[in-house]
Amino acid sequence: MGDLPLNINIQEPRWDQSTFLGRARHFFTVTDPRNLLLSGKQLEASRNIVQNYRAGVVTPGLTEDQLWRAKYVYDSAFHPDTGEKVVLIGRMSAQVPMNMTITGCMLTFYRKTPTMVFWQWVNQSFNAIVNYSNRSGDAPITVQQLGTAYVSATTGAVATALGLKSLTKHLPPLVGRFVPFAAVAAANCINIPLMRQRELQVGIPVTDEAGQRLGHSVTAAKQGIFQVVVSRIGMAIPAMAIPPVIMNTLEKKDFLKRRPWLGAPLQVGLVGFCLVFATPLCCALFPQRRQALLTPFPEHSAILGSLPPPW
């Protein structure tokens, strides 16, 4: 057995989740795209380190930093409830590269109806994969729920995009560039409540400070799902609001007029730069566990509601 103590709680994030900075550091690590480059052998090695440590066996020579690195690598690739390896594009570390590609294309090809509809469909298909891959063990998603949410969100996104596209025909071109954002925001307002409908019906688990489950809270579920919607829309704002303004200016310059093929990769790059920061920072907006005192007396234990994750 190594010298590393066995009292390190790797069930929880490494940093203090009661502060925004602690949550931001946690999500910057969770969404790190570099984890996608890890080989199957590296993922298995990290899983062995984590599972052995939880079983009371310390890998010889293991340091605390290596333990936490293994924990975050394990969390980035394996489902926390089932232990199954998550499909590559469904992992949180795939959020930035996948979304930068899809969002960049939505912002680039918004002028023609067929391409606009296609990329809205691709976006909602990707969201369905992420939702299914990260489904909760407490409130599993059924195929019917997934299908309903997928069809409803896709329909809502396409209808919003088509409706706004027709309304912005006679407005300045810059206004039309924000149609994809409005469609994505509308889809999130539809998709997330439908995907979490079971939590709205039965509530989310409520525990005491010792982790003992006390019951379920529908009120906490409503609050949590609202915060998830706000976080998702917040993630999209920088990536879908800043690049259109920049591209609207650049496309008037001779440089891009002579090289129109540079438009799409440049837009994707701008979106990616925004998402690298927006994704973890918006995930960190709200704590995933909220505390509420049962009575005003401090000696009484508090109940803790586990809010839905922000993705």
Side-chain angles (χ1 to χ4, degrees), residues 110-113 116 161-177 179:
Y110 70 95
R111 292 183 177 91
K112 295 183 178 180
T113 299
M116 181 187 67
L162 291 176
L164 290 177
K165 187 174 184 293
S166 63
L167 291 174
T168 58
K169 281 182 179 179
H170 305 293
L171 296 177
L174 180 60
V175 177
R177 289 179 179 273
V179 169

Side-chain angles (χ1 to χ4, degrees), residues 120-155:
Q120 289 293 338
W121 168 75
V122 170
N123 185 47
Q124 294 310 317
S125 298
F126 171 64
N127 286 340
I129 293 172
V130 172
N131 288 329
Y132 182 76
S133 300
N134 295 279
R135 63 197 181 279
S136 169
D138 282 310
I141 303 170
T142 65
V143 175
Q144 183 179 2
Q145 287 175 325
L146 183 66
T148 301
Y150 172 59
V151 172
S152 300
T154 304
T155 302

Side-chain angles (χ1 to χ4, degrees), residues 27 31 92 95-96 99-100 103 126-127 130 181 184 188 192 227-243 271-286 309-311:
F27 283 111
T31 60
M92 280 309 296
Q95 283 289 300
V96 171
N99 276 321
M100 68 181 280
T103 304
F126 171 64
N127 286 340
V130 172
F181 168 69
V184 168
N188 279 327
I192 295 168
Q227 291 176 355
V228 171
V229 173
V230 171
S231 295
R232 286 277 191 94
I233 294 175
M235 289 178 204
I237 289 175
M240 302 190 79
I242 297 174
V271 170
F273 178 79
C274 293
L275 286 175
V276 164
F277 298 97
T279 300
L281 292 177
C282 288
C283 282
L285 285 176
F286 307 104
W311 53 80

